Amino acid sequence: MSTVTGPTRTAESAATLARTLVVVIIGSIMAVLDVTIVNVAMHPLAAAFDAPLATVQWVATGYTLALCAVIPLAAWAMGRFGAKRTYLTALALFTGGSAVASLSWNIETLVLLRVVQGLGGGLLVPVGMAMVIRAANREHMGRAMAMLGIPVLIGPVSGPILGGWLIDTASWHWIFLVNLPVGAVALLLAARLLRSDETRSVRRLDVPGLLMLSPGLALLIYGLSTGGARGDFTMPGALLPAVAGLLLVAGFVARGLTARHPLLQLRLFHDRTFAAGIATMVLFPAGYFGSMLLTPMYYQTTRGLTATESGLLGAPLAVAVGTSMQIATRRIDKASPRLMVISGIFVAALGLSLFGLQLGPDTPYWRLCAAMLVMGAGVGMVMMPVNTTATRTLAPDDIPSGSTTINIVSQIGTSIGTALMSVVLASNMTGTTSQRQQAAAFQHTYWWAVTLLILAGVPALLLPRRRRSPDSSTSAPVTPTSIRTR
């Protein structure tokens, strides 16, 4: 029998990784574009359907709840059906949901069909990330993960601009129809380029765990979103769902520590690097995405700009994040993960502090954009490098569970941050009558976001001081008895 030589095997691995990246990047661009486009379409949708804005917000909230409910299924689905089939299903759900959403005849139908989109969107990111991690050479993981940052560069920059243009020149239907050609290309390429993978597990689905985690996440995020929107976490409509969600998630954790085949492998938290990455990815997204909720509101309420104008002012931040992410994630293969991430957190907090310090009713826009450029440079040094560091040493069978867990906690952190900023801002805006008072309310709220960014530096101190050697990073799979702190 002939054997595959080293160079041939390396070339095949590189080709497999390249094909996987092409498919995953296209799918991720579609998902990121969709979210950013829909976010700027809330007021036009309210006018088109003659519905209150609070009801129209469910177009985004319903998508988020479905996304959180289906993410826990990603690891099991990859094991049961294979990553390729799972990814194709996710693309089909997202693209099909976009097609029928464009045909909605009332706001209730649109919300329901956005839920269908969310079921597909919830699988796209963790499954795509898991496929890339599996295909990448561990020594060059940073380069592969840097490529996954391309949608972060393209989507936030072009999404608001494209969404505003489609609504102004065509109609709201096109904010969903624009996904169809991209989705069709992604489906075709996924079917042709992705390698069919064998199922890695025949274990049964942990139904009790799923029935606790998925509804628990949905209830928790619903409670946080409701409390943030109403400016009051103590109201029954926010407090009761949030508490119920927390109890269900706690029950899932208790079961996951004792069940023979849990939905997610919680034993991975024994790995200090993975646990530190998870904690960082709760706090940092809370501060970052929480501040991103405030910025367009400041531009539109205090400065009187349109949604398109505020979107254009957000472009420098998106460019800085995407560019910095490309550089930092490629360097993480050789640099100290701890030093890079801590430095990024410091730079991000500095940039956001500079933004908040000079906030006012007539601050020159170039100064605000300059501060956001500094923040973006720091953000790019944190998000994807943390993901890369946390998952680099996972065994192949643990990668789906690890990538799924990271996506879950990042979504929870984002929801906590946006809800907290909403409540703090609402409390500070009470009784404001002038632009100067409004600017002061925003300024005070930004300090909460800065605090969350700084707190993310605490678990980041537990990340590895130096890049592990090639032998140690690929030698043995992570098992309950082989996990050590690093």
Side-chain angles (χ1 to χ4, degrees), residues 158-370:
S158 56
I161 300 172
L162 177 61
W165 179 77
L166 287 172
I167 291 172
D168 292 340
T169 61
S171 69
W172 68 266
H173 302 275
W174 284 94
I175 66 175
F176 301 107
L177 290 174
V178 71
N179 292 328
L180 301 190
V182 183
V185 170
L187 278 166
L188 177 62
L189 292 178
R192 293 177 62 88
L193 298 182
L194 292 181
R195 178 178 295 178
S196 297
D197 54 325
E198 296 180 359
T199 57
R200 293 178 176 266
S201 172
V202 294
R203 62 183 176 86
R204 298 176 60 185
L205 176 63
D206 179 16
V207 176
L210 179 65
L211 293 178
M212 285 187 282
L213 183 57
S214 289
L217 290 174
L219 286 169
L220 174 61
I221 292 176
Y222 172 80
L224 292 173
S225 300
T226 303
R230 304 289 178 84
D232 183 9
F233 285 125
T234 61
M235 57 179 295
L239 181 62
L240 294 180
V243 171
L246 281 174
L247 292 175
L248 285 171
V249 172
F252 167 80
V253 172
R255 174 180 171 78
L257 295 174
T258 58
R260 183 175 180 182
H261 298 295
L263 187 66
L264 296 177
Q265 298 294 339
L266 299 184
R267 61 180 172 78
L268 298 178
F269 283 90
H270 290 292
D271 183 314
R272 191 181 76 177
T273 299
F274 183 77
I278 289 291
T280 304
M281 288 304 292
V282 172
L283 292 168
F284 193 85
Y288 171 54
F289 290 107
S291 70
M292 291 304 94
L293 169 75
L294 300 175
T295 306
M297 293 176 64
Y298 160 74
Y299 284 138
Q300 294 175 42
T301 58
T302 303
R303 305 301 293 269
L305 300 183
T306 66
T308 302
E309 290 170 335
S310 64
L312 287 171
L313 286 174
L317 171 66
V319 171
V321 171
T323 304
S324 173
M325 185 179 295
Q326 288 296 308
I327 298 172
T329 312
R330 291 173 188 272
R331 290 292 303 163
I332 200 67
D333 288 329
K334 299 179 180 180
S336 163
R338 182 189 303 176
L339 179 60
M340 177 177 291
V341 173
I342 291 294
S343 300
I345 290 172
F346 172 78
V347 172
L350 174 63
L352 190 58
S353 297
L354 292 174
F355 185 90
L357 279 171
Q358 58 185 334
L359 209 63
D362 52 4
T363 307
Y365 293 119
W366 71 265
R367 285 168 50 185
L368 296 176
C369 288

Side-chain angles (χ1 to χ4, degrees), residues 290-291 293-303 352 355-357 359-360 421 424-426 428-429 432 434-449:
S291 70
L293 169 75
L294 300 175
T295 306
M297 293 176 64
Y298 160 74
Y299 284 138
Q300 294 175 42
T301 58
T302 303
R303 305 301 293 269
L352 190 58
F355 185 90
L357 279 171
L359 209 63
M421 296 307 120
V424 174
L425 179 63
N428 281 279
M429 290 286 279
T432 58
S434 67
Q435 286 183 314
R436 188 167 300 277
Q437 289 175 323
Q438 290 179 359
F442 277 101
Q443 189 175 54
H444 176 83
T445 308
Y446 270 108
W447 292 119
W448 285 76

Side-chain angles (χ1 to χ4, degrees), residues 138-147 322-341 343 377 380-382 384-386 388-389 392 464-468:
R138 296 299 177 92
E139 185 62 15
H140 301 95
M141 182 79 74
R143 296 181 184 179
M145 298 295 279
M147 297 299 291
T323 304
S324 173
M325 185 179 295
Q326 288 296 308
I327 298 172
T329 312
R330 291 173 188 272
R331 290 292 303 163
I332 200 67
D333 288 329
K334 299 179 180 180
S336 163
R338 182 189 303 176
L339 179 60
M340 177 177 291
V341 173
S343 300
M381 296 168 64
V382 178
M384 199 61 77
V386 169
T388 305
T389 302
R392 187 190 295 274
R465 180 181 301 175
R466 60 179 62 88
R467 167 76 172 89
R468 298 183 70 195

